[in-house]
Amino acid sequence: MSKENTSIHDFDLNIICDYYATLERQGPGSPEITVKALSFIDNLNKDSNIADIGCGTGGQTMTLAQHTEGHIRGIDLFPRFIDLFNSNASKLNLQDRVKGVVESMDSLSFQDEELDLIWSEGAIYNIGFERGLKEWRRFLKTGGYIAVSEATWFTEERPKEIEEFWMDAYPGIDTIPNKVAQMQSAGYMPVATFIVPDSCWTEDFYKPQVAAHKAFLKENAGNKSAEDFIANQRHEIQLYHKYKAYYGYAFFIGKKI
Ligand code: SAH
């Protein structure tokens, strides 16, 4: 197997974390899309409690904070990301109501019915869409919302190469109607679904990575694992350009009933 085809699961988490800490965002998205998803949510005020699960360094969290008044807790597994998150919050003078905490999304410490909104962009795949929706539901008040972006198939059938890539990377990828049905059976009323535009991948996520790849290779010159990781990332970007008619991210917004 060529190195660029090595599975993402084979890489050292420290390398992945070191690389992604250099980027402003760790997944496809944009401030406009965060605001659009937020436009479907109508129960928020200054006393609201919001969680951003798998927040990374907080790109989308800061947008969320600038468009809501409540308190936001960002949750991520990696202390490096949370340190950057908290310093980003301070730079924007949001530290009084935006706090990052190191925790795993499969053992969250929220109280039952504590939250008005659960946010998660490009991160629920770490425990799986269905499992995340089911397990996090108890933390929401009745009438509270969940908004997550998630990898989805756009067509019923796909070319073998991209099907195989995703079956390895995230077998939970599914079509939008199937994801909406999963949301409904997890106990939420599906409120809105929309496709995250192509530009959130190409402009907002992949474009800054051209320079980031070069800088990372320079900094890790001679480190074979780092070189293999960047080759893998470049391969993933090529696959996106080749097969973007078949998959992408969609936002799913649901209300706890
Ligand atoms: N929401 C951010 C980051 C998405 S990348 C953005 O859109 O830019 C996925 C994030 O999930 C990473 O920051 C990663 O560290 C985090 N993550 C992975 N496993 C996790 C876990 N078990 N618990 C909490 N966060 C996790």
Side-chain angles (χ1 to χ4, degrees), residues 91-239:
K91 274 183 209 151
L92 295 167
N93 206 22
L94 292 165
Q95 69 280 1
D96 291 342
R97 59 187 189 90
V98 179
K99 287 198 171 43
V101 178
V102 177
E103 219 170 75
S104 182
M105 61 174 77
D106 57 12
S107 56
L108 294 167
S109 62
F110 295 109
Q111 308 286 314
D112 286 1
E113 315 231 331
E114 179 181 342
L115 300 172
D116 298 279
L117 171 63
I118 293 177
W119 203 266
S120 183
E121 291 195 33
I124 197 170
Y125 71 88
N126 286 294
I127 60 166
F129 184 80
E130 277 190 284
R131 181 179 163 200
L133 290 183
K134 283 185 190 153
E135 288 189 8
W136 301 345
R137 185 176 177 278
R138 68 188 179 89
F139 304 125
L140 276 180
K141 295 172 186 161
T142 300
Y145 285 85
I146 188 161
V148 301
S149 66
E150 159 83 341
T152 47
W153 292 127
F154 295 156
T155 56
E156 287 293 331
E157 296 194 358
R158 284 77 52 174
K160 192 162 169 274
E161 186 183 21
I162 197 63
E163 181 93 30
E164 284 179 358
F165 169 81
W166 276 100
M167 284 310 114
D168 171 63
Y170 178 47
I173 185 171
D174 211 333
T175 59
I176 290 175
N178 287 348
K179 295 263 173 201
V180 170
Q182 288 165 11
M183 178 170 254
Q184 178 126 24
S185 53
Y188 303 87
M189 176 171 66
V191 169
T193 302
F194 63 89
I195 290 173
V196 170
D198 177 25
S199 59
C200 288
W201 293 74
T202 54
E203 293 298 308
D204 298 282
F205 188 44
Y206 288 152
K207 202 171 174 184
Q209 295 196 48
V210 175
H213 289 156
K214 286 190 189 138
F216 193 71
L217 287 175
K218 201 170 165 194
E219 200 164 299
N220 293 279
N223 178 336
K224 187 80 176 59
S225 305
E227 286 167 7
D228 289 345
F229 173 67
I230 296 300
N232 174 279
Q233 295 294 290
R234 286 175 167 161
H235 177 62
E236 187 184 310
I237 296 175
Q238 283 164 2
L239 285 180

